Amino acid sequence: MDNINEEWLSHLQPSMIENAQGYQLDAYLMALEGWRRGLTLKWHVKDSEKFKDMRTWYVEKPGHLFSLSSKERVHYFFKTRGDLVSNGAVDIGKDKQQTKVHLEREGVRTPQGQELTQLESIDFAKEVANKVGYPVVVKPSDGSYGRGVFTNIGTEEDLENAINYIQKTLEINDIIIEEHIPGDEHRLYVVGDKVVGAMLREPANVIGNGENTVKQLIDIKNEQKKRNPRLVSCLIKQNPETRHFIEKQGYTLKSVLPEGEKLYLTDKSNISIGGDPISVTDELPQSVKDVAVAAVKAIPGLVHSAVDLIVDRSGDQVEGVVLELNPTAQIGGLVFPMKG
């Protein structure tokens, strides 16, 4: 938190974005930047003009569809995605298994694994996990916001519990079992041949000061997040899952954390559940950026996209291992990081 910059960007003053914060921020940022550059900005409603042919969702509420035009041309946008991205690319990006197939075909490293459906037995799932090699990751084939993602599973019992939760509690049939790659999770944003932004996604955490309890530290950090236009809707929740994770590390919400000690509150790095976006655009090795660019090129019709990847530093070289692509990505964490 030492490097927080609450001045942000000179053309994005708080009064301009007070009604477009959190997950609603992305379309506004894109539209505002086009308008700032002298383009004509027009907001649209569902199924108007070119949007009848574009993949969109949850657009009954205004503020997600817009166009930017000059004298020569006009382009249409759904949130952060422009009309040069094909519907086929969007469909592939939403399907984690199809994404893996395309990445592997083009030689882009991605975790090894296999897709399963509800029709396949738990015993078969255990065979797949043994083939992949523990620890494994279990996640829905089509999902977002970290919903139903279980990482670093080391036993058959935990594997079965995870699958039952996804398929029975969340009522999601198709899942992927894949190898667990150690490393830090990042989101890179690629436009054409260039990475234009990158952030480390650090799981929700607090740092002790020797005085405040864990609960108080969470409250303090949430107050800081409320001052960030993107993170105002991404507060750390003090729910049973959080409490259980804290207790596994020998603490409770009432514990006073020693000064300087960092306590992680979850093993999921999603910004939407309280994770910290930390800007690392200038720090990431070019080799990792090249992997992200190659991943986007592996999908036909994809000209810009977010790339979620693990930075694996366990070997002789730093490697990027692609987890998934998001053609309609949230960029608020890249523009308004927690640090950087």
Side-chain angles (χ1 to χ4, degrees):
M1 300 299 296
D2 295 339
N3 298 326
I4 244 182
N5 176 7
E6 293 177 5
E7 292 300 321
W8 307 121
L9 304 179
S10 58
H11 64 290
L12 296 179
Q13 294 303 316
S15 60
M16 300 178 70
I17 55 177
E18 61 185 359
N19 293 319
Q21 296 189 347
Y23 71 92
Q24 295 180 321
L25 183 62
D26 301 290
Y28 189 81
L29 287 175
M30 298 287 289
L32 179 63
E33 183 61 20
W35 171 80
R36 191 178 73 90
R37 295 184 183 207
L39 300 175
T40 299
L41 168 63
K42 180 180 178 182
W43 294 98
H44 294 261
V45 296
K46 181 181 179 182
D47 293 335
S48 66
E49 298 188 31
K50 191 169 182 176
F51 293 107
K52 295 190 295 291
D53 303 317
M54 286 179 64
R55 291 278 192 275
T56 62
W57 46 83
Y58 303 128
V59 291
E60 286 74 15
K61 185 177 179 179
H64 298 309
L65 307 175
F66 62 97
S67 62
L68 292 167
S69 59
S70 64
K71 292 181 180 179
E72 293 78 23
R73 64 177 69 92
V74 57
H75 283 294
Y76 297 84
F77 294 82
F78 167 53
K79 297 184 178 180
T80 59
R81 171 168 40 93
D83 55 13
L84 293 182
V85 176
S86 71
N87 287 337
V90 176
D91 293 340
I92 293 171
K94 290 176 64 178
D95 187 321
K96 293 181 174 64
Q97 181 61 25
Q98 282 298 309
T99 299
K100 289 171 70 70
V101 169
H102 281 78
L103 294 176
E104 290 171 352
R105 184 182 299 157
E106 296 302 319
V108 178
R109 186 183 171 192
T110 185
Q112 296 299 304
Q114 185 171 335
E115 185 178 33
L116 292 82
T117 69
Q118 192 177 34
L119 299 177
E120 291 164 318
S121 67
I122 290 292
D123 287 339
F124 180 69
K126 292 176 181 178
E127 289 179 17
V128 172
N130 285 319
K131 179 181 177 182
V132 170
Y134 287 98
V136 297
V137 173
V138 179
K139 61 185 179 182
S141 297
D142 183 2
S144 57
Y145 303 109
R147 184 169 176 256
V149 177
F150 293 84
T151 63
N152 204 17
I153 294 174
T155 68
E156 290 188 348
E157 181 182 0
D158 288 342
L159 175 71
E160 185 170 349
N161 290 338
I163 293 174
N164 285 334
Y165 179 81
I166 295 171
Q167 294 188 329
K168 295 179 181 179
T169 303
L170 298 182
E171 298 182 344
I172 298 173
N173 292 334
D174 297 345
I175 64 172
I176 292 175
I177 298 176
E178 64 184 19
E179 63 177 321
H180 173 81
I181 305 292
D184 297 322
E185 189 169 334
H186 292 67
R187 167 162 287 189
L188 284 66
Y189 204 91
V190 175
V191 179
D193 295 324
K194 185 177 181 181
V195 172
V196 297
M199 64 181 178
L200 166 66
R201 301 201 303 191
E202 188 174 34
N205 66 86
V206 291
I207 299 176
N209 58 14
E211 299 178 4
N212 293 110
T213 65
V214 172
K215 182 184 185 306
Q216 290 170 334
L217 291 172
I218 293 174
D219 291 339
I220 292 170
K221 190 158 190 178
N222 278 340
E223 287 302 315
Q224 294 171 331
K225 285 177 175 286
K226 289 177 183 179
R227 298 197 295 269
N228 182 303
R230 172 64 186 103
L231 304 182
V232 65
S233 64
C234 303
L235 305 183
I236 301 169
K237 296 179 174 59
Q238 300 178 40
N239 53 27
E241 182 179 347
T242 303
R243 292 196 293 270
H244 177 65
F245 195 86
I246 293 171
E247 289 167 1
K248 287 197 303 182
Q249 300 171 82
Y251 293 102
T252 70
L253 289 174
K254 296 180 180 179
S255 300
V256 174
L257 204 60
E259 184 172 0
E261 180 169 338
K262 177 178 287 188
L263 176 68
Y264 286 100
L265 310 173
T266 178
D267 56 359
K268 298 176 182 178
S269 62
N270 301 73
I271 304 304
S272 59
I273 59 174
D276 291 346
I278 301 172
S279 179
V280 293
T281 307
D282 298 328
E283 287 76 28
L284 274 184
Q286 186 60 43
S287 59
V288 174
K289 295 179 180 179
D290 291 342
V291 169
V293 172
V296 173
K297 288 182 175 293
I299 310 299
L302 188 59
V303 296
H304 62 85
S305 176
V307 181
D308 293 339
L309 55 74
I310 292 287
V311 175
D312 182 3
R313 303 178 186 272
S314 61
D316 295 333
Q317 295 182 332
V318 178
E319 288 191 78
V321 185
V322 178
L323 301 176
E324 58 186 80
L325 303 178
N326 192 332
T328 318
Q330 295 186 347
I331 61 172
L334 291 163
V335 180
F336 296 103
M338 199 77 170
K339 296 179 184 178

